[in-house]
Amino acid sequence: GAAPAVHTLRLYVNEIGDDGAAALVRAALSGCDSGGTPKLKMLCLDTNNLSATGKAELRRQCAGAPGLSLYL
């Protein structure tokens, strides 16, 4: 059968930088269902190495995906 869907990723304190976080957000947004809603519901990246500019860009990218909660 199909693999179970992942709904939450909690990646606190992993030294993830702007590029890594951007890749995770792109992957989350590319995994949308047929209605355009991301299958991933929560992405927690707080306490990582994200710059203020990187955080702003991630928030901008996720603004169009109301089904995804992003914690920075």
Side-chain angles (χ1 to χ4, degrees), residues 9-68:
L9 277 178
R10 292 184 179 109
L11 300 171
Y12 315 112
V13 194
N14 281 287
E15 299 185 20
I16 297 169
D18 292 345
D19 291 339
L24 288 165
V25 167
R26 278 193 308 275
L29 296 176
S30 70
C32 293
D33 64 18
S34 59
T37 302
K39 293 179 184 175
L40 187 69
K41 302 299 179 201
M42 183 185 307
L43 179 57
C44 304
L45 296 170
D46 32 335
T47 321
N48 279 290
N49 295 332
L50 303 176
S51 69
T53 303
K55 289 179 182 181
E57 179 59 22
L58 295 174
R59 287 187 182 104
R60 186 194 65 73
Q61 288 177 358
C62 291
L68 176 62

